[in-house]
Amino acid sequence: MHTTTTTRTLAIAAALTLGLTLASCSTSSNTGSDAGSSATLSSAASAHNDQDVMFAQMMLPHHQQAVEMSDMLLAKGDGVDPDVATLAKQIKAEQGPEITQLTSWLQGWGEPTESEHSGMGHSMSGMMSDSDMTDLDQASAKDAGQLFLQQMVQHHKGAVDMAKTEVDKGKNTDAVAMAKSIVSSQTEQITQMKDMLASK
């Protein structure tokens, strides 16, 4: 029994050594083709057009503002309508990871995370103005819920419009997939928020 175990151990050790040796040879002799294949994979993953870049650059500050609005509401504490607070938490949970992904794409594409597009008309993309944000920040806990819903309906509409353009004209498959997800989830939330406003 002992001999069998020893033999098996030696056989495994020999196999591992051979495997490592072969792997080493393979790595050193095929450096060129390995680099080529990884470059091809990288190229396929980052294939994009100007629309993808614009989508990411504009959706990034848009999402960041939605998270900021949600934080403002939640900071008001227990006086906020619990249903609205739950929605704000959901928006943060959905858009936080997307902010990270959008940033990662732009960095991977060698593009800046900000562009001249980001500052274009607030009304076009549904972005809140500075005074809108101040109104929300200064609203009482009781009033903030309704104001948040009114503002976020407009905010979401802007995001859905941008996402639909990306679905139609974007090239990067991952970016288009995110855009489709935004259209679906935020259209659903717009309906939910309108229902909440109507019931108040």
Side-chain angles (χ1 to χ4, degrees), residues 48-102:
H48 64 284
N49 60 14
D50 290 343
Q51 168 57 39
D52 296 317
V53 174
M54 184 186 294
F55 167 72
Q57 287 175 336
M58 293 181 72
M59 195 60 76
L60 190 54
H62 205 275
H63 273 18
Q64 287 167 339
Q65 188 180 64
V67 169
E68 185 182 355
M69 291 165 69
S70 300
D71 282 336
M72 278 184 185
L73 180 79
L74 294 169
K76 298 182 186 297
D78 296 338
V80 174
D81 183 317
D83 289 338
V84 183
T86 297
L87 176 65
K89 290 174 185 175
Q90 181 184 343
I91 289 170
K92 282 188 65 178
E94 289 174 357
Q95 300 198 18
E98 289 180 349
I99 288 171
T100 303
Q101 184 61 73
L102 290 162

Side-chain angles (χ1 to χ4, degrees), residues 11 17 53 88 96 108 111 113-114 151 154 197:
T17 305
V53 174
E111 299 285 353
T113 53
E114 293 183 18
Q151 290 183 344
Q154 296 306 314
L197 282 167

Side-chain angles (χ1 to χ4, degrees), residues 135-148:
D135 289 345
L136 180 60
D137 191 32
Q138 295 180 351
S140 67
K142 182 183 177 188
D143 296 336
Q146 185 157 5
L147 183 57
F148 175 83

